[in-house]
Amino acid sequence: RDAAWEATLHNLGHCYRKMKRFDDALAVYRRALRCDARNASTLTAIGFTLHLKGDLDGAIDHYHKALGACGQDTLTTHLLEKALEAAGELFPSDRIE
């Protein structure tokens, strides 16, 4: 039963995110996490939504959590690299001060 709700809530979160209703998406993704707290896909979706909102620290945190749950996810790895790059943490020596 929880698995069905988790998938439904996860998909609803995607719908909200695509409609740019980021706060609604985050609320629904967090409800999905209550069904499966280590679901890497949902953790990545939260990270991506935070990334879209400009919350790079939150995005990076959730990408790390997702990779901790499933370390072989190339999409999450790519998104983490993009967030670190945007935050200036991937190549800090290249930054102009």
Side-chain angles (χ1 to χ4, degrees):
R1 181 181 154 172
D2 279 349
W5 274 113
E6 189 277 330
T8 301
L9 292 167
H10 184 90
N11 289 332
L12 179 59
H14 284 324
C15 293
Y16 281 139
R17 182 185 38 103
K18 289 179 181 185
M19 294 169 50
K20 299 189 183 334
R21 292 175 56 180
F22 300 132
D23 292 332
D24 291 328
L26 289 169
V28 173
Y29 287 139
R30 288 183 176 122
R31 283 181 60 198
L33 278 183
R34 285 190 230 145
C35 298
D36 181 1
R38 292 192 42 85
N39 185 303
S41 182
T42 302
L43 290 165
T44 297
I46 291 172
F48 185 53
T49 305
L50 292 169
H51 197 155
L52 292 171
K53 286 185 65 163
D55 180 356
L56 295 175
D57 290 336
I60 290 166
D61 181 55
H62 279 83
Y63 294 148
H64 279 295
K65 288 178 183 177
L67 289 169
C70 178
Q72 300 300 318
D73 188 328
T74 55
L75 172 63
T76 304
T77 300
H78 176 74
L79 291 170
L80 174 59
E81 288 172 359
K82 290 294 185 184
L84 289 170
E85 193 174 298
E89 295 180 23
L90 192 56
F91 303 108
S93 62
D94 293 341
R95 289 187 5 198
I96 297 173
E97 305 262 339

